[in-house]
Amino acid sequence: MPLVLFVDMDYYYAACEELRHPEAVGKPMIVGTGDTAAKMSGVVESCNYEARKLDIRSAMPVAQALRINPDIIYIPADHDYYDRMSGRLMEILKAFGYRMEVISIDEAAVDLDSMSYEQGLVQGKRIKEEIRKTLRLPCTVGIADGKVLAKIVCDSAKPDGLKLVERKDIVQFLSEKSADKIPGVGKKTAEKLEAIGIKTIGDIAKSDLVSLSSAVGSFGFELFQIANGIDESRIVEHYETLSVGRERTLDATKDVQKIYLLLDELSEEVYREITKNGFRFRTVTAKARYSDFTDKIKSKTLGYWTDSPEILKQTAKALIRELIEEKPIRKVGVRVSSLEMGNKQMKLF
Ligand SMILES: [Mg+2]
């Protein structure tokens, strides 16, 4: 098991917005789906710690959050901006030169290999400081022997934390935590475990494979291993979860040519962004927002990875064509995902 350093940004979208909305710092603020005009029908995508203190959570309807506090600051989500910041974050991490896996827009696992615990903590402190200095954003770093264990350690140290749990202490560290602190254990799995009397990770460690497998199938084996501090997950240098997108408003229109023109422009921007980072893509998504503020998206996954700007443009246009309806369109977007490093093959030689 390599020593793994797990980085997770704190209240990511809300923190990004605090950077450009200093008036929201220290006050409850939510980032919601949808423009300000349509905010009442949206949901909370992210919120800062002041909002969390009021028991406001992600996925809560915005209307409900505003009932809790009508003066809460509302900011419409700007995914292009969060993507751009994420790109910068991953570049900072890559510059440290370790193998790493992008887990999500604001999480990454860094392979410290056979580094000592002492050195690992020094690296963790450096990475945190570099992110704070360059992006001016808070993050939490967890370090442990394995990716899954490092993530659990990281979650336990939020916000703005740095924590390392050594191999000899990990089982004890895990034992009091509820079973759903293990990544992949959602509400359903937690209920199945409770049905056989398991509430904590310590309960899993003391259980046996037969009971665990009968409750949750083959996942039981993995749970048993993690609970006993054995993490066989590997750092995989793929970028499946990462995506790059751009979107922009236009004067509400049904004019196909106008829509195509803007979409081409956005595709060019996406193309420049991904090639700058050496990525190729496989999935293209087009989005239309209509004059009544409803959104529709269409995606296509190609049978191959590519970095061709022409394929991107053509695919995006074919997708948006299916979205042009009776209603005028006031915003379009294009996004690529299922990314991989284009030069990965070359590294083998
Ligand atoms: Mg986060």
Side-chain angles (χ1 to χ4, degrees), residues 37 45 105 111 125 133 136 138 157 181 198 229 240 245 260 280 282 307 310-311 316 332 341:
E45 289 201 35
I105 187 166
D111 185 349
K125 196 154 176 278
K133 194 178 80 195
R136 294 185 293 132
K181 292 284 189 271
I198 288 175
E240 290 284 338
Y260 278 1
R280 299 192 298 166
R282 210 154 76 97
D307 57 3
E310 285 316 311
I311 290 174
V332 293
M341 290 298 263

Side-chain angles (χ1 to χ4, degrees), residues 8-12 106-107 158:
D8 184 5
M9 304 304 287
D10 300 328
Y11 60 101
Y12 179 58
D106 74 325
E107 293 173 301
K158 288 191 137 305

Side-chain angles (χ1 to χ4, degrees), residues 279-333:
F279 288 129
R280 299 192 298 166
F281 62 92
R282 210 154 76 97
T283 301
V284 180
T285 302
K287 169 180 162 180
R289 172 165 295 167
Y290 300 100
S291 50
D292 61 357
F293 289 99
T294 54
D295 288 342
K296 267 193 188 165
I297 59 167
K298 275 250 179 249
S299 291
K300 183 180 169 69
T301 297
L302 306 165
Y304 49 89
W305 273 280
T306 178
D307 57 3
S308 154
E310 285 316 311
I311 290 174
L312 174 56
K313 283 184 196 174
Q314 281 167 19
T315 312
K317 281 189 279 199
L319 290 167
I320 207 87
R321 205 174 299 141
E322 298 178 46
L323 295 175
I324 297 177
E325 297 179 351
E326 287 307 299
K327 295 178 276 186
I329 288 178
R330 61 184 303 273
K331 191 182 221 179
V332 293

